[in-house]
Amino acid sequence: MKKQKTKEQAQSGISKTCPGPMVFSKGAVISEPGSTMKYKTGNWRTYKPVIERAKCIKCGICWANCPDAAIKKDSDGTFIVDYDYCKGCLICDKLCPVKAISHGVEQK
Amino acid sequence: MAEKEKAEKVVISGADAIACAVKLCRPKVLPMYPITPSTLVPERLSEFVFNGEMKAEMIHVESEHSAASALYGAYATGVRGFTATASQGLALMHEILPIISASRFPAVMAVANRTLSGPLNIWNDHSDAVSERDQGWIQLYCESAQEAFDTTIMAYKIAETERVSLPVMVCIDGFALSHVYEPVQIEGQSKVDAFLPPYKPHNFLDTSDPKTFGAVAFPNSFFEFHEAEEMAMQEALKVIPKVNEEFGKAFGRKYGDGLVELVEMKNAEYALIGMGTLVGTSRVVVEEMRKQGEKVGLIKLKCLRPFPKDEILQACKKLKGLAVIDRHASLGYEGALTIDLKAALKDEKVKVEGFVAGLGGRDIDVKRLRAAVETIMKGEKGYWLK
Ligand code: SF4
Ligand code: SF4
């Protein structure tokens, strides 16, 4: 079935925040499987954790404990936050043994 | 057994009539959980399947919740399905009903209307179906076994019309129609096949074209899906009369304009309105009172949802009084039908009075209905027609 955006959707700019499943198909059926991958949930965040690369000892504790699998390993082995999915729970901040992680309030 | 090509007239119950119609509509999946007074429907259907007269999968589910869920499942695989229920059974399906309609599955279900317990009571009123009127299902009410047969066939056609794509409940009064034997014209298979072509699903589970069913809709889209359902309901108001006409051409029977039927309404000053079998009794009241020179008419409401507001307005424009017979009470206010009619007729001069009647199988006889008409003729208030 061909997917079409409705007029309301085009006007409201809904697709900007929700690019993936935001297609008004008949019966709410999504004809493109795996579309959830496009749905970024990072904008639910209130607090924003920031890893200070120089301090990180690459222990991986934040990576192992992030409930949203939102910490990734960078090419040089340091850990970085995937802000597309981080919910700002700050568990990583609490657990980092060398206090490489700090946080502030997300600016929206 | 060979398919019956010729039409035949038989004496069967309202529930049997529905089962015979369902057989002719060729559903592939029948999830069933029998409950009084709808039990005759699955009983007959299981006989048809057992005898080889019907090629369908009958699923003996463990509850009505599962029956509705399996009906959803059947439609998700892209085939026609059917189930029947009543009362607490329909209430147990409540959770699944809006999921079927929002999925735009054109399912058909028979409801042998029975009150909701408690106290425990197995007899007829409309509390079960009327309580589900907001769930995106088209609701059609029947007066006779023949109408139950015909409405079931029309229901599939209405539901499957592309611009409708909504499920339909075919409602028959428990016992008063489900168990009452009447002559019914059973149509031949080829004629029904010509009227109702094979089902073409718009979406179904298909490994060669995978899709996601049952995805979440966030606040920024949920509203639009419901809006689409409402638009489909408005389309149904146009499609139902069309299907009624087509049915009339094909089989020689139709029911008013498919939404309402008007009896002696041309010069009527006062009228009764109701749904289901009480319409039959009302016909007698109208006939009697007409003979006595009273200008009394009758509106049979066949379709409760979508609500045929324009047809009602047209019919009631010249009335002085309208007596609404509700086989249901929205406790704490009035009968649901009365509420709808008062809203629809708010700008008209007609005085609308509600009469709650027939709860839990209490008779609605000529005497009671006549009393309702006389009440509005005197300009008095509606009451519970005990
Ligand atoms: S704040 Fe929470 S969600 Fe975000 S990266 Fe840290 S542990 Fe993961
Ligand atoms: S817990 Fe701290 S030190 Fe360990 S990997 Fe994460 S940021 Fe680096």
Side-chain angles (χ1 to χ4, degrees):
Chain A
M1 199 187 62
K2 234 174 147 9
K3 290 178 290 177
Q4 275 184 334
K5 283 179 187 168
T6 64
K7 245 189 231 157
E8 300 88 56
Q9 186 191 359
Q11 283 161 357
S12 64
I14 278 165
S15 50
K16 264 185 270 167
T17 51
C18 249
M22 282 307 305
V23 175
F24 295 98
S25 63
K26 195 173 196 175
V29 170
I30 300 168
S31 47
E32 181 194 341
S35 57
T36 323
M37 307 254 288
K38 294 187 196 162
Y39 180 46
K40 311 281 192 260
T41 49
N43 62 353
W44 301 5
R45 183 173 57 233
T46 301
Y47 297 107
K48 183 179 184 179
V50 181
I51 299 179
E52 205 175 315
R53 288 182 88 100
K55 280 196 193 166
C56 172
I57 56 168
K58 303 173 186 177
C59 69
I61 288 176
C62 57
W63 170 83
N65 287 283
C66 171
D68 239 313
I71 291 189
K72 294 193 290 199
K73 207 177 196 174
D74 213 353
S75 50
D76 67 350
T78 46
F79 286 81
I80 54 169
V81 177
D82 182 347
Y83 292 113
D84 281 347
Y85 299 103
C86 165
K87 305 290 186 301
C89 68
L90 303 183
I91 285 174
C92 54
D93 183 12
K94 277 248 154 50
L95 296 180
C96 176
V98 295
K99 306 235 172 301
I101 306 179
S102 59
H103 72 265
V105 173
E106 180 68 64
Q107 300 300 316
K108 288 195 181 167
Chain B
M1 208 185 280
E3 281 166 359
K4 292 202 182 74
E5 273 317 319
K6 274 220 190 98
E8 53 174 356
K9 198 139 200 170
V10 292
V11 176
I12 51 174
S13 70
D16 285 331
I18 288 186
C20 290
V22 168
K23 186 181 103 177
L24 290 164
C25 294
R26 303 182 187 272
K28 296 278 192 304
V29 180
L30 308 166
M32 290 292 178
Y33 194 82
I35 176 170
T36 303
S38 68
T39 310
L40 283 176
V41 181
E43 238 174 71
R44 271 325 151 254
L45 287 173
S46 57
E47 278 169 21
F48 292 148
V49 172
F50 181 77
N51 293 341
E53 284 178 71
M54 210 179 157
K55 282 197 200 75
E57 184 84 26
M58 174 157 286
I59 312 176
H60 297 192
V61 287
E62 70 277 32
S63 75
E64 288 89 353
H65 189 280
S66 306
S69 302
L71 189 65
Y72 172 96
Y75 275 91
T77 67
V79 300
R80 225 172 244 160
F82 175 81
T83 191
T85 193
S87 185
Q88 248 69 12
L90 184 61
L92 191 53
M93 288 182 179
H94 171 74
E95 189 185 335
I96 310 300
L97 298 181
I99 300 177
I100 293 175
S101 54
S103 304
R104 308 298 296 280
F105 289 148
V108 173
M109 163 158 69
V111 178
N113 295 114
R114 161 183 158 185
T115 195
L116 289 164
S117 302
L120 175 61
N121 175 299
I122 60 166
W123 290 274
N124 166 243
D125 67 36
H126 291 161
S127 317
D128 52 0
V130 171
S131 298
E132 301 298 346
R133 73 184 186 278
D134 302 338
Q135 303 314 325
W137 285 62
I138 293 167
Q139 288 196 349
L140 303 174
Y141 290 76
C142 306
E143 184 187 347
S144 68
Q146 183 70 61
E147 188 176 352
F149 176 89
D150 296 345
T151 303
T152 305
I153 297 171
M154 283 192 265
Y156 279 103
K157 184 124 175 167
I158 295 161
E160 291 171 14
T161 300
E162 174 77 29
R163 59 199 165 116
V164 176
S165 299
L166 286 172
V168 180
M169 263 180 223
V170 177
C171 301
I172 57 170
D173 285 336
F175 297 111
L177 184 51
S178 66
H179 287 60
V180 166
Y181 282 68
E182 292 177 346
V184 176
Q185 167 96 353
I186 304 289
E187 300 295 345
Q189 184 68 64
S190 53
K191 231 169 139 187
V192 175
D193 286 345
F195 178 78
L196 183 71
Y199 171 48
K200 281 199 213 83
H202 55 87
N203 268 320
F204 61 97
L205 294 166
D206 180 0
T207 47
S208 64
D209 179 18
K211 297 183 183 80
T212 303
F213 282 67
V216 63
F218 284 90
N220 57 6
S221 66
F222 182 89
F223 216 126
E224 279 72 10
F225 287 116
H226 268 242
E227 189 185 35
E229 273 186 81
E230 175 54 30
M231 276 148 63
M233 275 285 181
Q234 295 309 318
E235 283 300 314
L237 281 175
K238 296 175 218 154
V239 170
I240 294 167
K242 210 175 134 259
V243 171
N244 182 57
E245 277 305 314
E246 280 172 40
F247 191 90
K249 277 205 191 95
F251 301 102
R253 292 180 300 276
K254 55 180 184 176
Y255 300 90
D257 70 351
L259 302 163
V260 294
E261 184 192 332
L262 308 181
V263 183
E264 299 278 9
M265 285 299 289
K266 273 220 177 77
N267 64 347
E269 292 178 348
Y270 299 93
L272 280 163
I273 183 166
M275 308 190 292
T277 54
L278 71 85
V279 173
T281 319
S282 305
R283 286 178 198 272
V284 178
V285 175
V286 169
E287 202 180 313
E288 265 184 25
M289 296 187 82
R290 278 277 171 182
K291 268 188 205 147
Q292 290 156 4
E294 306 290 2
K295 287 185 176 155
V296 176
L298 164 67
I299 303 169
K300 162 177 167 171
L301 186 66
K302 181 165 174 60
C303 182
L304 177 64
R305 284 293 179 275
F307 191 71
K309 190 181 158 205
D310 292 344
E311 287 74 6
I312 298 272
L313 263 176
Q314 207 50 44
C316 297
K317 269 205 162 346
K318 294 194 182 112
L319 287 180
K320 288 184 185 157
L322 181 66
V324 188
I325 312 298
D326 255 301
R327 233 171 178 150
H328 157 86
S330 173
L331 297 177
Y333 199 32
E334 299 187 68
L337 200 46
T338 307
I339 298 168
D340 283 352
L341 283 160
K342 281 191 174 170
L345 298 169
K346 66 181 194 309
D347 297 328
E348 303 301 314
K349 68 174 193 328
V350 54
K351 235 178 131 242
V352 181
E353 288 298 332
F355 297 83
V356 170
L359 296 189
R362 184 73 54 92
D363 257 354
I364 303 180
D365 53 13
V366 170
K367 218 175 95 199
R368 288 183 175 90
L369 291 172
R370 208 188 153 107
V373 181
E374 283 162 358
T375 302
I376 57 163
M377 287 171 87
K378 281 185 263 173
E380 287 171 7
K381 289 224 163 308
Y383 56 93
W384 284 39
L385 267 184
K386 288 184 285 182

